Amino acid sequence: DMLDPERLIQCPLVKHHWIRARRFPYHLVKCKESNPEIAKKLATCPFNARHLVPQADLSKHIMNCNDKAFVEQDVVSRSSESSQEQLNNGSTWQAPPSAEDWET
């Protein structure tokens, strides 16, 4: 189960490290500090900071990342919500033309 905080996840830096999902973000930070040479060779996924992949494979990972769909869906839903809010809130209001003429 992907949502199980007790499941074990393999560290992308040191393959013999197996960490509980709930501790994984903390482990990544410490493991990067402890293994800077390995960390330099890895790139972070823009959709999920827990995804560390070899730099050469980053574009392929981005195309196939499961979290990409969640981010795209969130962007679409937020943009449609804000458009709907503008319509509902009257945010398309425009100021009426002013009767004042500063030139005269």
Side-chain angles (χ1 to χ4, degrees), residues 47-65:
F47 303 112
N48 187 335
R50 296 176 183 185
H51 297 169
L52 297 178
V53 296
Q55 290 181 357
D57 298 339
L58 182 61
S59 59
K60 182 180 176 185
H61 173 82
I62 288 171
M63 296 299 292
N64 299 314
C65 181

Side-chain angles (χ1 to χ4, degrees), residues 8-101:
L8 292 173
I9 301 173
Q10 186 178 29
C11 175
L13 292 135
V14 180
K15 298 299 181 188
H16 67 269
H17 288 178
W18 287 87
I19 306 93
R20 301 254 177 243
R22 63 187 161 84
R23 299 290 310 155
F24 192 68
Y26 307 105
H27 174 82
L28 281 180
V29 171
K30 287 191 163 231
C31 205
K32 280 183 184 179
E33 290 173 0
S34 299
N35 301 287
E37 290 302 313
I38 298 171
K40 273 195 265 185
K41 297 175 185 174
L42 299 176
T44 303
C45 170
F47 303 112
N48 187 335
R50 296 176 183 185
H51 297 169
L52 297 178
V53 296
Q55 290 181 357
D57 298 339
L58 182 61
S59 59
K60 182 180 176 185
H61 173 82
I62 288 171
M63 296 299 292
N64 299 314
C65 181
N66 292 334
D67 292 328
K68 178 180 174 182
F70 294 121
V71 173
E72 289 174 340
Q73 184 179 14
D74 187 48
V75 168
V76 169
S77 68
R78 285 178 190 241
S79 67
S80 66
E81 284 174 8
S82 65
S83 299
Q84 190 61 38
E85 278 181 25
Q86 285 179 349
L87 292 174
N88 292 342
N89 294 337
S91 296
T92 56
W93 180 85
Q94 294 179 350
S98 176
E100 295 180 346
D101 184 2

